Amino acid sequence: MTAEQTITERPRDRTSGEPALRVDSLWKIFGPRADKIIGTPDATLSRKDLLARTGCVAAVKDVSFEVAPGEVFVVMGLSGSGKSTLSRLLTRLIEPTSGTVTMNGEQVTSASAARVRELRRRHVAMVFQHFGLLPHRKVIDNVAYGLEIRGEGKAERRRRAQEMIDLVGLSGYEGSFPDQLSGGMQQRVGLARALAVDPQVLLFDEPFSALDPLIRRDMQNEVIRLHHEVGKTMVFITHDLSEALKLGDRILIMRDGEVVQIGTPDEVVGAPADDYVRDFTSEVPRSHVLTLRWVMREPRPDDTAEGPVMPPDTIVRKAAKAALASEHPVRVVEDGKLIGIVDDDAILRVVVAEEQPHPADRGIGTPA
């Protein structure tokens, strides 16, 4: 895993206030009398035992989380973990067995079918692995399709579509047909189409899985760039940890339909919830993900007042050059207050730990 695959230097601030998306105790059980299982001892069974006992499969099991406005929230897990089912529950492409989904204060799970269709048209846009472009329509008409469904006039929808085409870097391809474009360019059309309707939430379900590694990396960078420019709330589904670390403000890790851990990239890597997450993150270069908050020590009265000053959320890799070049330790300052000291040994411990398995077992795993 390379540095470019692992992390991108970018701010991870989240807007406070009412969540853009809230999920409470969400269940999806497939099989006979599925709604009778929740609240019974059977609900505590493993997926395998539940199937053997009842013939039902718990695809999503008591999942709860919140997504802040403007946040990039990544849901990741291996095949069969329930992440794609979860993504479809958010907009009721699949009906939940139990629980609630609230989007910008409106409960999606109790809305009428007509209202759900309206929410999909105006408030949430989805980008999937399979682009779903209309082959007989030009790029500009594909991008404008959602606006056409909405009933927008031709002049206005083409104006808006052109803006989005320019935004995603496809200027000059407005008159092309999808089969004249590469896979990465087709996915850019999909992004432009999703952005054209000005959604409050963008939902990505493994959109880059079918792309080759170089194009995939370019598309990840494009998502980051677009997030900086348009600031949309994004929920991103992936099975790839490096993609999750690169894109996510926070990451939800699923296994067998359940939440294993929710945390920022440095929390997931620095303090894995269990051996499952630890195995996932064992190959991640810590210096590319952990921040100074994880390696600093408490200030002492005899500490020098000299040395580089850095905020606690500075990534170790970024701090290493200045720290090792200075005769004095790094002073970690937050809101004008000295909160920690990072010396050369702390930096080197993280770098050396990258060569060894399970560094959390050697003291890297708890922020100061």
Side-chain angles (χ1 to χ4, degrees), residues 35-56:
D35 58 328
K36 305 300 182 185
I37 291 173
I38 300 170
T40 72
D42 286 344
T44 64
L45 295 174
S46 69
R47 181 179 282 180
K48 181 179 178 180
D49 290 342
L50 179 66
L51 177 61
R53 180 178 175 84
T54 68
C56 293

Side-chain angles (χ1 to χ4, degrees), residues 197-222:
V197 298
D198 194 23
Q200 294 170 323
V201 177
L202 272 167
L203 176 59
F204 299 83
D205 190 358
E206 302 206 59
F208 310 142
S209 295
L211 303 177
D212 70 55
L214 289 178
I215 296 176
R216 181 171 185 161
R217 185 179 65 183
D218 288 344
M219 292 307 301
Q220 292 166 354
N221 291 335
E222 185 70 6

Side-chain angles (χ1 to χ4, degrees), residues 4-248:
E4 290 80 12
Q5 290 173 313
T6 304
I7 198 71
T8 295
E9 306 291 354
R10 67 190 182 97
R12 295 184 181 276
D13 298 330
R14 296 189 297 275
T15 305
S16 59
E18 179 73 18
L21 177 68
R22 186 171 67 242
V23 174
D24 293 306
S25 301
L26 197 63
W27 290 75
K28 181 58 185 179
I29 302 177
F30 295 98
R33 298 171 59 82
D35 58 328
K36 305 300 182 185
I37 291 173
I38 300 170
T40 72
D42 286 344
T44 64
L45 295 174
S46 69
R47 181 179 282 180
K48 181 179 178 180
D49 290 342
L50 179 66
L51 177 61
R53 180 178 175 84
T54 68
C56 293
V57 175
V60 171
K61 190 174 181 180
D62 197 20
V63 169
S64 299
F65 61 89
E66 292 185 353
V67 180
E71 182 177 12
V72 180
F73 188 85
V74 176
V75 179
M76 72 154 294
L78 298 178
S79 178
S81 64
K83 60 187 184 301
S84 288
T85 300
L86 174 61
S87 72
R88 285 158 172 77
L89 292 172
L90 300 180
T91 55
R92 283 175 55 187
L93 292 175
I94 297 175
E95 290 290 341
T97 305
S98 181
T100 61
V101 176
T102 305
M103 195 173 294
N104 293 301
E106 181 171 359
Q107 194 174 115
V108 178
T109 36
S110 62
S112 67
R115 181 56 184 160
V116 169
R117 287 193 296 271
E118 185 70 6
L119 286 169
R120 291 175 189 159
R121 288 175 181 168
R122 296 185 179 274
H123 301 291
V124 61
M126 293 165 279
V127 182
F128 297 103
Q129 176 181 338
H130 302 290
F131 316 129
L133 303 180
L134 301 171
H136 59 288
R137 290 195 172 200
K138 296 178 180 180
V139 165
I140 194 165
D141 296 315
N142 267 282
V143 174
Y145 183 68
L147 299 171
E148 181 180 344
I149 294 298
R150 227 190 237 185
E152 300 274 358
K154 184 175 182 179
E156 173 57 25
R157 66 178 186 252
R158 288 179 72 88
R159 182 197 65 77
R160 174 68 177 171
Q162 186 62 55
E163 284 183 359
M164 296 303 102
I165 288 168
D166 295 341
L167 182 65
V168 302
L170 285 178
S171 302
Y173 292 93
E174 301 86 347
S176 300
F177 289 94
D179 64 0
Q180 297 174 308
L181 306 178
S182 68
M185 293 172 74
Q186 289 183 45
Q187 192 58 282
R188 287 175 187 266
V189 177
L191 280 172
R193 181 178 58 188
L195 289 166
V197 298
D198 194 23
Q200 294 170 323
V201 177
L202 272 167
L203 176 59
F204 299 83
D205 190 358
E206 302 206 59
F208 310 142
S209 295
L211 303 177
D212 70 55
L214 289 178
I215 296 176
R216 181 171 185 161
R217 185 179 65 183
D218 288 344
M219 292 307 301
Q220 292 166 354
N221 291 335
E222 185 70 6
V223 168
I224 293 170
R225 182 185 71 81
L226 289 172
H227 183 253
H228 276 302
E229 293 199 22
V230 301
K232 297 292 183 184
T233 304
M234 297 181 177
V235 178
F236 198 100
I237 312 297
T238 183
H239 66 272
D240 187 294
L241 177 63
S242 61
E243 186 166 75
L245 293 172
K246 183 173 184 176
L247 298 179

